[in-house]
């Protein structure tokens, strides 16, 4: 299958795995990945795991030892570089650890921690300016979809971040994650996902131009599993996945990498 932007498989552990479990995860992932003589990695396949902040250091050390092809990222990073923001972590702190990628605007951050389109914009702009790669999450709720507002919501969320801004498509990746599909087992069908991804790509075109649109990876997220990933990856505008529940065990994440690898050949 031809994937012009390659594939990006990423896992969001959410609030799972402290440092000890993190080290065990990577040790197992490393052994699973080298089981066959054929490596399951390719220059066209990017892999990343977003771990809890307290496990970032353990993840970096263990990934370096067992699975150097897996990037380690932060689930949340503040837009200010320092200051009175209790409980937050900043870009410079993460850089010091060796972290180069972060999620922004995950729907659980929007739902439970008061993040908005405005804070997503501030975080995205600040972190890209600081040299980070950003995986920006957008997506509609169930009631917004039922009211036929999906396109409006995606337009609002992307316009807030991209209007008047020219991101480097190598640094900014979009994750389309319909909120009704996250953690529910209700994956969007490949048709539903592809339709939304086409909308996202068209919006990037309108806001940032054709070249940026064509070069930007758009990942699907929401109940992705080893059962449904292959079909999702056949869609021309789906460039990979952001996976929650199925990224938490090394067996399942390794299988997701294998499926992505096989989809490229
Ligand atoms: P899920 O989570 O795969 O468990 O639905 C996806 C996400 O929140 O990124």
């Amino acid at each position: 299958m031809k994937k012009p932007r390659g594939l990006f498989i990423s896992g969001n552990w959410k609030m799972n795995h402290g440092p000890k479990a993190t080290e065990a995860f990577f040790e197992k992932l490393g052994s699973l990945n080298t089981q066959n003589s054929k490596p399951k990695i390719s220059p066209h396949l990017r892999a990343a795991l977003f771990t809890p902040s307290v496990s970032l250091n353990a993840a970096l050390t263990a990934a370096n030892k067992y699975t150097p092809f897996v990037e380690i990222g932060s689930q949340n990073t503040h837009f200010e570089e320092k200051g009175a923001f209790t409980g937050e972590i900043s870009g410079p702190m993460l850089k010091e650890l060796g972290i180069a990628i972060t999620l922004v605007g995950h729907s659980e951050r929007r739902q439970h921690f008061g993040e908005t389109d405005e804070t997503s914009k501030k975080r995205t702009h600040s972190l890209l300016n600081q040299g980070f790669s950003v995986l920006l999450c957008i997506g509609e709720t169930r009631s917004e979809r039922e009211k036929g507002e999906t396109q409006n919501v995606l337009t609002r969320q992307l316009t807030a971040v991209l209007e008047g801004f020219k991101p480097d498509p190598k640094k900014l990746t979009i994750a389309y994650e319909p909120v009704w599909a996250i953690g529910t087992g209700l994956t969007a069908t490949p048709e539903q996902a592809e339709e939304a991804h086409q909308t996202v790509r068209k919006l990037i075109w309108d806001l940032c131009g054709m070249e940026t649109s064509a070069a930007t990876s758009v990942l699907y997220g929401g109940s992705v599993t080893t059962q449904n990933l292959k079909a999702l990856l056949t869609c021309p505008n789906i460039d990979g996945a952001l996976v929650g529940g199925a990224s938490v065990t090394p067996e399942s994440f390794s299988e997701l990498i294998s499926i992505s690898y096989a989809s490229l050949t």
Side-chain angles (χ1 to χ4, degrees), residues 165-179:
F165 186 65
K166 196 112 176 76
D168 175 353
K170 286 199 184 66
K171 292 284 194 174
L172 179 65
T173 302
I174 308 295
Y176 167 65
E177 298 206 297
V179 180

Side-chain angles (χ1 to χ4, degrees), residues 12 14 106 108 177 181-183 222-224 242-245:
N12 171 14
K14 310 190 180 184
H106 188 277
E108 285 153 17
E177 298 206 297
I182 295 180
S223 295
V224 172
L242 176 58
V243 187

Side-chain angles (χ1 to χ4, degrees), residues 120-208:
S120 295
K121 170 188 169 175
K122 284 183 167 170
R123 285 173 204 260
T124 303
H125 290 199
S126 165
L127 292 159
L128 287 173
N129 283 336
Q130 290 177 55
F132 281 85
S133 290
V134 168
L135 183 40
L136 171 69
C137 306
I138 55 170
E140 80 289 357
T141 63
R142 178 194 288 268
S143 77
E144 287 164 341
R145 175 163 280 260
E146 283 169 357
K147 284 189 253 159
E149 289 173 1
T150 300
Q151 179 145 357
N152 290 346
V153 172
L154 297 178
T155 305
R156 192 198 74 222
Q157 291 175 328
L158 275 180
T159 304
V161 177
L162 295 181
E163 195 167 40
F165 186 65
K166 196 112 176 76
D168 175 353
K170 286 199 184 66
K171 292 284 194 174
L172 179 65
T173 302
I174 308 295
Y176 167 65
E177 298 206 297
V179 180
W180 50 271
I182 295 180
T184 58
L186 294 171
T187 330
T189 62
E191 294 72 27
Q192 285 173 320
E194 173 63 16
E195 191 187 1
H197 281 233
Q198 281 175 14
T199 300
V200 169
R201 202 167 299 288
K202 168 82 171 55
L203 284 165
I204 301 172
W205 182 317
D206 293 344
L207 290 158
C208 306

Side-chain angles (χ1 to χ4, degrees), residues 93-111:
M93 292 172 187
L94 290 167
K95 258 197 197 161
E96 197 178 319
L97 274 188
I99 300 292
I101 181 166
T102 178
L103 292 181
V104 166
H106 188 277
S107 69
E108 285 153 17
R109 299 288 316 166
R110 295 179 193 247
Q111 208 180 329

Side-chain angles (χ1 to χ4, degrees), residues 2-25:
K2 187 117 179 55
K3 298 302 279 185
R5 290 166 289 271
L7 282 175
F8 188 175
I9 182 82
S10 59
N12 171 14
W13 282 359
K14 310 190 180 184
M15 203 167 69
N16 293 291
H17 293 337
K20 280 197 190 119
T22 296
E23 160 138 40
F25 175 100

